[in-house]
Amino acid sequence: MSWQPTRDPVTGETPCPFIETVVIPRTADIGGFEVRRAVPSMQKRSVGPFVFVDEFGPTLFGTGDGIDVPPHPHIGLATVTYLFAGEQTHRDSLGTRQLIRPGDVNWMTAGSGIAHSERTPPALRATGSTLFGVQTWVALPAPYEEVAPSFAHHGIDDLPVIEDAGKSVRLIVGSAYGARSPVATFSETLYLDAALQAGAVLPLPAEHEERAVYVVSGRVRIGGDDFPPRQLLVLRPGDPVAVEALEETRLMVFGGEPLDGPRKLWWNFVARSRERIEQAKEDWREGRFGTIPDETERLPLPER
């Protein structure tokens, strides 16, 4: 068994010179659907503009089953849905209806307010399916917090892929390795999906001030220390860092420009002030987020 660096159970700090913090995601079972939340955590509230990182699945749904997230609201952020396996149907209060498949990107800008739902398509319910992926929230910079809501979909073939020496890196959002994703953003962003063969070494872009690595599967070595899957490794700013795959590995790299100030998160709302969140609560109670075609139910505000 390889040596693992000592990690402070409260701060997540390690002796590794390149790692600022290690976050062990909180795991929750939501009706048989497993979710691992890496951000926000006690150790790290954000990485670059990313204020929320959830890995979900892999979950096997039997015939007739699937994911059903009824209409719910967002403000002050953009959601990014990225799948490894399975399919989801996105609907929103702009009238959008979009199927998302593995490798596609759904970027939904909530801004001043939007409602959406996420469900397993009927065709997959008829046969059973697997769902596995990551959902992230990107906080919008202060000048764009109240921008008009919008939705953009980019298929897998739209995204740049960098391949070299046992590694394949898909650029989901932002810029890296001289390439840029077509996904429009409001701040400088880094978001990569990297598949590495055993022994492959991936240098991480140093031009982005904040960076983190989430090990989806496999095992990696950074600065002489080994790290297993399902850990978030927050890197120290500015250091040139390389990740070595000790076995076949998949990892997500995300970060970018730091937030322009602290954010408050309550349920599905992100804002700079508690007053704005209270207004969003009232708007959802009063039905001011708009309606979604073909959807009649909706998630109620949490009691807490």
Side-chain angles (χ1 to χ4, degrees):
M1 179 179 293
S2 64
W3 176 80
Q4 297 296 324
T6 302
R7 179 183 65 86
D8 187 295
V10 176
T11 66
E13 293 179 354
T14 80
C16 178
F18 301 108
I19 304 292
E20 175 186 290
T21 305
V22 176
V23 178
I24 308 300
R26 306 189 310 276
T27 301
D29 188 298
I30 307 174
F33 189 68
E34 187 173 81
V35 174
R36 289 166 294 281
R37 180 156 301 163
V39 177
S41 70
M42 183 170 57
Q43 297 90 355
K44 199 68 179 174
R45 303 298 297 175
S46 62
V47 180
F50 291 84
V51 294
F52 180 95
V53 177
D54 261 11
E55 182 194 33
F56 51 87
T59 299
L60 179 63
F61 293 111
T63 302
D65 292 333
I67 184 172
D68 280 298
V69 182
H72 56 281
H74 290 286
I75 64 164
L77 57 85
T79 65
V80 189
T81 303
Y82 189 80
L83 299 181
F84 305 133
E87 297 179 1
Q88 282 186 8
T89 298
H90 162 96
R91 295 189 184 100
D92 63 41
S93 51
L94 300 175
T96 309
R97 183 187 181 115
Q98 176 64 55
L99 180 67
I100 180 170
R101 296 186 172 96
D104 295 348
V105 175
N106 273 11
W107 175 285
M108 184 184 74
T109 300
S112 60
I114 196 171
H116 76 129
S117 66
E118 300 158 286
R119 301 186 188 274
T120 299
L124 289 188
R125 289 181 189 274
T127 60
S129 64
T130 299
L131 188 63
F132 185 24
V134 178
Q135 182 165 95
T136 56
W137 295 355
V138 176
L140 301 179
Y144 302 102
E145 278 185 312
E146 300 296 332
V147 71
S150 61
F151 177 85
H153 175 83
H154 297 271
I156 186 172
D157 294 334
D158 297 337
L159 305 178
V161 176
I162 300 96
E163 295 182 319
D164 178 56
K167 49 187 175 283
S168 179
V169 181
R170 176 168 289 110
L171 183 51
I172 302 171
V173 180
S175 61
Y177 310 115
R180 180 170 287 275
S181 165
V183 180
T185 64
F186 295 89
S187 60
E188 196 58 42
T189 306
L190 172 68
Y191 194 15
L192 309 174
D193 172 16
L196 310 179
Q197 297 176 12
V201 176
L202 177 68
L204 300 181
E207 65 270 22
H208 296 280
E209 184 172 348
E210 296 188 359
R211 300 161 297 166
V213 174
Y214 184 80
V215 185
V216 178
S217 61
R219 196 161 49 94
V220 301
R221 177 170 293 157
I222 299 177
D225 296 337
D226 298 359
F227 298 91
R230 294 182 172 169
Q231 292 192 354
L232 178 71
L233 313 175
V234 182
L235 305 178
R236 299 187 190 280
D239 289 342
V241 179
V243 178
E244 178 187 358
L246 301 178
E247 57 192 56
E248 187 173 343
T249 296
R250 187 171 200 167
L251 50 85
M252 310 297 284
V253 181
F254 61 92
E257 184 180 348
L259 289 176
D260 55 356
R263 293 300 192 274
K264 298 183 184 300
L265 276 71
W266 188 88
W267 194 36
N268 302 309
F269 303 140
V270 173
R272 288 180 299 153
S273 72
R274 190 161 302 282
E275 291 76 16
R276 181 64 183 94
I277 289 178
E278 291 301 320
Q279 180 61 58
K281 291 181 186 179
E282 183 64 19
D283 289 343
W284 183 242
R285 289 190 195 98
E286 298 301 319
R288 291 194 283 262
F289 274 82
T291 59
I292 299 175
D294 304 320
E295 298 271 11
T296 57
E297 59 180 322
R298 64 183 215 153
L299 285 178
L301 283 171
E303 294 183 4
R304 296 182 59 186

